[in-house]
Structure formats: C-alpha cells, structure tokens
Amino acid sequence: GTVTATGVYKAAGIGSGSDGSCGAITIGSGLTSLTATMGNGAGAPIGSGYKGSCGSITIDGSTTWSAGTATTHYTWEVSIVKNAANQDVPRWTLTKK
C-alpha cells in the first residue's frame, strides 16, 4: 500500500507529537510507497516530535534504521519542502525497489 503522513506543528508525520511519546514504529515489507513530512520544529518526519520520545524504528526488518540508511527493499530519499507557513521542513520518502 501507499502511506502519506504529514505532521503538524512540532509533530512527526509518523510518531509522537510535541512532548508526546509512542511505542515502536514498524514499517513492513508490504508497503510500496511512504512519504512522511514533519511539522515545523518536530524532531523528525518519522519518530519523535519536539521533546517527544518513541521506541525503536524498524523499516523492512532493520531495527538499526536511521535517517538516510539504505534498506534492502526500498530506495530512500530525503528532501526539503515548504509547509503551509512557507517554512522549510524535511520530507522522507521510501519507495519499493
């Protein structure tokens, strides 16, 4: 399937909001495309919001995943886009190989 997730102010696209928390994030091999954009001031597009915390992030079976790490079945792209307030925020895109 395809997932598009956009965080609001200080929130991750997938993960926690400001001062919030979330458990482990698992993105499995059935995904064909994922685009996650963080809100302004968030910690990351996938993971913790501002001053938030999350458990491990597992993408395609790799629990040592971090921003920019290549995966076995996905290509990875990091870009900068403008949010609704015309601020630069990171967007992370995973696409099935």
Side-chain angles (χ1 to χ4, degrees):
T2 299
V3 174
T4 301
T6 303
V8 293
Y9 183 66
K10 295 189 177 183
I14 298 173
S16 73
S18 179
D19 296 310
S21 64
C22 64
I25 298 170
T26 301
I27 299 170
S29 59
L31 187 72
T32 56
S33 176
L34 173 127
T35 301
T37 306
M38 70 182 222
N40 186 48
I46 301 173
S48 300
Y50 176 75
K51 293 187 179 179
S53 64
C54 286
S56 63
I57 301 172
T58 302
I59 297 179
D60 196 30
S62 174
T63 56
T64 57
W65 182 87
S66 62
T69 301
T71 64
T72 303
H73 298 106
Y74 296 94
T75 56
W76 187 252
E77 177 185 334
V78 178
S79 57
I80 300 296
V81 296
K82 297 284 187 184
N83 65 12
N86 202 35
Q87 299 161 320
D88 290 342
V89 293
R91 172 178 286 165
W92 296 350
T93 303
L94 283 159
T95 307
K96 191 82 166 179
K97 290 181 182 175

